[in-house]
């Protein structure tokens, strides 16, 4: 959740990491020694590639898990992206290998290692803390619904990733990727740069090949920003595509989990595998919900031909080099047969952002209290108790920034208050009507906009220096957003976002895949 409006992995294996002191962050980077880091065999490996190795008997789920665990041990001390390794990972892999030897393969995720954000419940030996020391030691009794689906699909839960604490909803001066429990996570392209957030560790781990695929969560920007900033694909699905049961919440009207991967193909595999209705999440019961469990048929290299794409120019203009690089992306869209409608304009952005903020404060208090009240073994049972814990442990939890957002949320009343109801109606109607109107009037198949600017310097004193992006439009409306790598600006990744109406994932996957296939910016 954004609060203010390596060199890449191959270099970790083949050369030195670029790093500068926190207080410097200049164009002249200092070099960290190689520390005997050898090249990784599976840079840019895909799910299909690992499956082929297992089918041929050249690798097993166990050997794959062991290689990724070694990779984590070797380089993550520099990245700080993995907050906890699953002690059961190797045993899970052994069981999956036995199934394969007996002729049972559950699907494309069978034996595939995945890392998930540390605000998602796992009913195992791992903690679920949202990066906060207030929840240190807390182990959920049951898996979140999407974790259960992940296990059923045969994936190996490798561990949990660091994040911006409480999904970056604690302070307006927070540093993305910092948590009291996990410390500061680092961008794998240049270590003194932000990984963005709040799904910081998932973005880093996928980019640096610490896992095959990752899962993040988003309220506003928390999947797409770390995906863009770390040079990977991220999908923020339509609200209700994935169940939110068992995920530490901010806002039930905006929260969703989603896939993070190095390729759109891998992200699409994960998207379908965890898409399912769930009785415990009303949003998944929407009457117009798509009951699709396999998005790979929509991966069409010709998916741009004949498509009408709207260019959301009002989200450009925050960085001239970003605009220059994204013009190359727009040229690719045209070259592959898309008709660009340039520009398209959305009315009411200031109003919808102001309304969103009111909604988030009310829902944060309500939803957090509900989540904690349903977990009797949690060491804190309410937002009020979290606030008190942070005050009592200020030197550990608040050495750099405070909890003014928590304090503001705590002062809010219930969800029956008219201020909240008006803000919710306004935020949803403004964003949904804006997208629907623009797309219908211009007969659009998708909207494109910048995902992010180049990563800013990590700054614990002043907090994040967020440049620009476009996440709010899809986040507030609850509509889907896919970000795909769009190249580098001064050696730092940026992404291009593809946004559409509710439940338009099939169309967006097709369009975004065609762009990825022909741009090859990753």
């Amino acid at each position: 959740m954004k609060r203010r409006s390596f060199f890449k992995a191959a270099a970790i294996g083949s050369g030195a990491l670029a790093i500068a002191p926190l207080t410097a962050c200049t164009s002249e980077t200092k070099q960290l020694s190689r520390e005997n880091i050898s090249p990784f065999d599976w840079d840019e490996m895909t799910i299909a590639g690992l499956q082929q190795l297992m089918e041929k008997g050249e690798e097993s789920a166990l050997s794959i898990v062991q290689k990724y665990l070694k990779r984590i041990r070797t380089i993550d001390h520099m990245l700080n992206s993995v907050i906890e390794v699953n002690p059961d990972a190797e045993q899970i892999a052994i069981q999956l290998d036995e199934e394969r030897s007996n002729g049972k393969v559950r699907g494309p995720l069978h034996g595939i290692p995945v890392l998930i954000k540390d605000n998602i419940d796992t009913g195992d030996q791992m903690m679920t803390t949202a990066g906060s020391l207030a929840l240190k030691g807390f182990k959920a009794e049951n898996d979140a619904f999407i974790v259960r689906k992940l296990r059923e699909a045969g994936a190996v839960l490798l561990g949990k990733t660091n994040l911006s604490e409480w999904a970056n909803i604690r302070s307006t001066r927070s540093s993305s990727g910092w948590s009291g429990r996990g410390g500061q996570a680092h961008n794998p392209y240049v270590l003194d740069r932000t990984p963005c957030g709040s799904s910081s560790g998932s973005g880093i781990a996928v980019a640096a090949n610490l896992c095959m695929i990752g899962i993040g969560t988003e309220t506003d920007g928390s999947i797409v920003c770390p995906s863009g900033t770390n040079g990977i694909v991220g999908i923020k699905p339509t609200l209700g595509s994935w169940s939110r049961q068992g995920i530490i919440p901010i806002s039930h009207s905006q929260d969703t989990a989603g896939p993070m991967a190095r390729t759109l193909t891998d992200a699409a595999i994960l998207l379908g595998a965890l898409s399912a209705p769930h009785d415990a999440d009303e949003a998944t019961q929407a009457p117009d919900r798509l009951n699709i469990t396999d998005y790979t048929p929509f991966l069409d290299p010709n998916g741009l031909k004949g498509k009408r794409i709207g260019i959301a120019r009002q989200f450009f203009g925050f960085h001239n080099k970003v605009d220059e690089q994204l013009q190359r992306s727009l040229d690719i869209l045209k070259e592959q047969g898309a008709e660009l409608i340039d520009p398209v304009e959305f009315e009411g952005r200031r109003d919808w952002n102001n309304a969103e903020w009111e909604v988030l404060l009310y829902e944060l208090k309500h939803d957090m209290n509900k989540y904690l009240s349903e977990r009797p073994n949690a060491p804190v049972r309410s937002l009020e108790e979290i606030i008190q814990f942070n005050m009592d442990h200020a030197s550990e939890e608040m050495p750099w920034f405070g909890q003014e957002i928590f304090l503001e949320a705590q002062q809010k009343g219930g969800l029956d208050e008219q201020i909240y109801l008006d803000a919710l109606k306004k935020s949803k109607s403004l964003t949904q009507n804006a997208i629907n109107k623009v797309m219908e009037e211009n007969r659009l198949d998708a909207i494109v906009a910048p995902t992010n600017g180049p990563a800013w310097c990590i700054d614990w004193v002043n907090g994040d220096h967020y440049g620009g992006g476009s996440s709010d439009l899809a986040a507030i409306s609850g509509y889907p957003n896919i970000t795909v790598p769009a190249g580098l600006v001064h050696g730092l990744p940026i992404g291009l976002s593809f946004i559409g109406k509710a439940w338009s994932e099939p169309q967006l996957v097709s369009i975004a895949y065609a762009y990825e296939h022909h741009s090859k910016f990753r």
Side-chain angles (χ1 to χ4, degrees):
M1 177 70 193
K2 65 175 177 58
R3 282 292 124 243
R4 291 143 306 277
S5 324
F6 89 116
F7 300 117
K8 70 181 220 37
I12 293 178
S14 59
L17 282 163
I19 185 170
L22 174 66
T23 54
C25 204
T26 65
S27 57
E28 294 185 10
T29 57
K30 295 184 178 181
Q31 298 297 316
L32 191 67
S33 68
R34 291 180 61 183
E35 300 188 34
N36 299 316
I37 298 173
S38 58
F40 187 53
D41 293 340
W42 295 335
D43 281 343
E44 307 309 312
M45 178 61 78
T46 63
I47 290 173
L50 285 186
Q51 289 295 349
Q52 289 175 3
L53 292 176
M54 287 187 282
E55 289 168 6
K56 294 177 181 177
E58 296 176 9
E59 297 286 352
S60 65
L62 178 60
S63 67
I64 289 169
V65 163
Q66 290 171 336
K67 285 188 179 181
Y68 277 108
L69 290 174
K70 181 180 179 181
R71 173 79 165 170
I72 291 169
R73 290 193 300 269
T74 302
I75 70 169
D76 195 54
H77 65 284
M78 293 181 278
L79 302 173
N80 215 26
S81 68
V82 180
I83 205 166
E84 186 171 2
V85 169
N86 185 4
D88 300 324
E90 290 179 299
Q91 186 58 44
I92 293 170
I94 290 170
Q95 293 172 352
L96 290 166
D97 284 334
E98 291 177 357
E99 289 185 14
R100 186 182 291 272
S101 66
N102 292 324
K104 179 183 178 181
V105 176
R106 301 188 189 190
L109 292 180
H110 191 107
I112 301 298
V114 58
L115 286 166
I116 70 172
K117 190 174 179 179
D118 182 41
N119 61 347
I120 304 173
D121 285 350
T122 55
D124 54 19
Q125 297 188 64
M126 292 189 291
M127 292 181 278
T128 302
T129 69
S132 173
L133 296 175
L135 285 177
K136 188 175 182 181
F138 169 60
K139 297 179 181 180
E141 293 183 2
N142 301 296
D143 285 339
F145 182 76
I146 60 170
V147 173
R148 176 153 59 89
K149 295 289 291 181
L150 194 65
R151 295 189 199 274
E152 290 172 356
V156 180
L157 186 49
L158 204 58
K160 292 192 174 183
T161 55
N162 200 3
L163 69 158
S164 310
E165 186 180 299
W166 296 114
N168 217 5
I169 193 68
R170 201 188 87 187
S171 172
T172 58
R173 291 188 179 275
S174 63
S175 173
S176 287
W178 186 93
S179 70
R181 180 186 172 206
Q184 179 65 56
H186 301 274
N187 191 304
Y189 281 75
V190 181
L191 291 179
D192 62 1
R193 296 276 169 166
T194 184
C196 202
S198 63
S199 305
S200 312
S202 296
I204 297 164
V206 170
N209 290 284
L210 303 184
C211 59
M212 177 52 58
I213 45 178
I215 293 178
T217 67
E218 173 161 329
T219 305
D220 187 340
S222 284
I223 290 173
V224 295
C225 187
S227 294
T229 304
N230 290 285
I232 63 171
V233 172
I235 301 179
K236 197 286 291 185
T238 302
L239 193 74
S241 178
W242 283 14
S243 170
R244 285 86 53 80
Q245 182 274 329
I247 299 175
I248 296 176
I250 292 176
S251 162
H252 63 267
S253 67
Q254 290 185 204
D255 289 350
T256 184
M260 302 172 76
R262 290 183 292 276
T263 69
L264 193 53
T265 299
D266 287 354
I269 290 170
L270 184 56
L271 177 64
L274 305 193
S275 294
H278 185 214
D279 291 342
D281 188 344
E282 184 179 357
T284 68
Q285 305 294 322
D288 54 347
R289 187 186 188 283
L290 294 179
N291 291 314
I292 296 175
T293 58
D294 183 4
Y295 283 89
T296 59
F298 304 106
L299 298 166
D300 181 5
N302 299 311
L304 281 164
K305 289 185 178 179
K307 297 299 190 298
R308 290 172 62 87
I309 310 292
I311 313 303
R313 284 289 176 186
Q314 71 197 91
F315 296 98
F316 289 68
F318 58 86
H319 194 295
N320 66 320
K321 292 294 184 181
V322 171
D323 288 352
E324 290 175 11
Q325 180 61 30
L326 288 184
Q327 186 56 50
R328 298 182 176 93
S329 296
L330 301 184
D331 292 342
I332 290 169
L333 300 180
K334 289 176 64 176
E335 290 166 3
Q336 296 306 315
E339 180 181 355
L340 304 188
I341 314 304
D342 189 3
V344 295
E345 296 289 334
F346 301 92
E347 299 176 356
R349 191 180 189 192
R350 180 185 296 272
D351 290 336
W352 76 53
N353 278 318
N354 289 339
E356 175 199 27
W357 188 242
E358 198 71 50
V359 169
L360 297 187
L361 292 174
Y362 272 91
E363 293 189 357
L364 168 61
K365 179 182 179 181
H366 175 274
D367 295 0
M368 186 71 75
N369 286 346
K370 182 176 185 294
Y371 172 90
L372 292 172
S373 69
E374 294 171 349
R375 286 155 178 80
N377 60 329
V380 287
R381 303 299 304 283
S382 67
L383 179 60
E384 184 176 21
E385 290 188 16
I386 296 170
I387 290 170
Q388 188 61 51
F389 178 94
N390 290 340
M391 293 172 63
D392 293 341
H393 300 82
S395 62
E396 300 166 281
E397 272 293 350
M398 299 192 291
W400 300 106
F401 52 88
Q403 56 178 344
E404 62 274 13
I405 298 175
F406 276 3
L407 293 170
E408 189 175 357
Q410 181 60 26
Q411 297 305 311
K412 296 298 182 182
L415 300 189
D416 56 348
E417 290 194 353
Q418 198 61 45
I419 294 174
Y420 164 74
L421 295 172
D422 290 344
L424 178 62
K425 181 178 179 181
K426 186 175 185 178
S427 65
K428 292 297 183 185
S429 62
L430 284 176
T431 51
Q432 292 177 357
N433 291 343
I435 293 174
N436 293 343
K437 180 182 178 182
V438 165
M439 294 193 71
E440 289 166 7
E441 289 183 350
N442 294 281
R443 296 179 288 112
L444 300 180
D445 297 290
I447 299 157
V448 299
T451 303
N452 62 289
W456 57 90
C457 298
I458 294 170
D459 185 348
W460 294 341
V461 176
N462 298 296
D464 286 339
H465 308 292
Y466 182 76
S470 56
S471 65
D472 52 328
L473 185 60
I476 302 171
S477 63
Y479 288 2
N481 185 358
I482 299 177
T483 181
V484 181
L488 304 174
V489 171
H490 295 301
L492 296 165
I494 62 171
L496 185 68
S497 285
F498 296 84
I499 299 165
K501 291 183 178 181
W503 310 112
S504 63
E505 281 89 340
Q507 178 99 297
L508 293 184
V509 165
S510 178
I511 291 170
Y513 177 77
Y515 165 75
E516 176 194 59
H517 180 79
H518 294 285
S519 65
K520 295 180 171 60
F521 281 126
R522 168 70 187 173

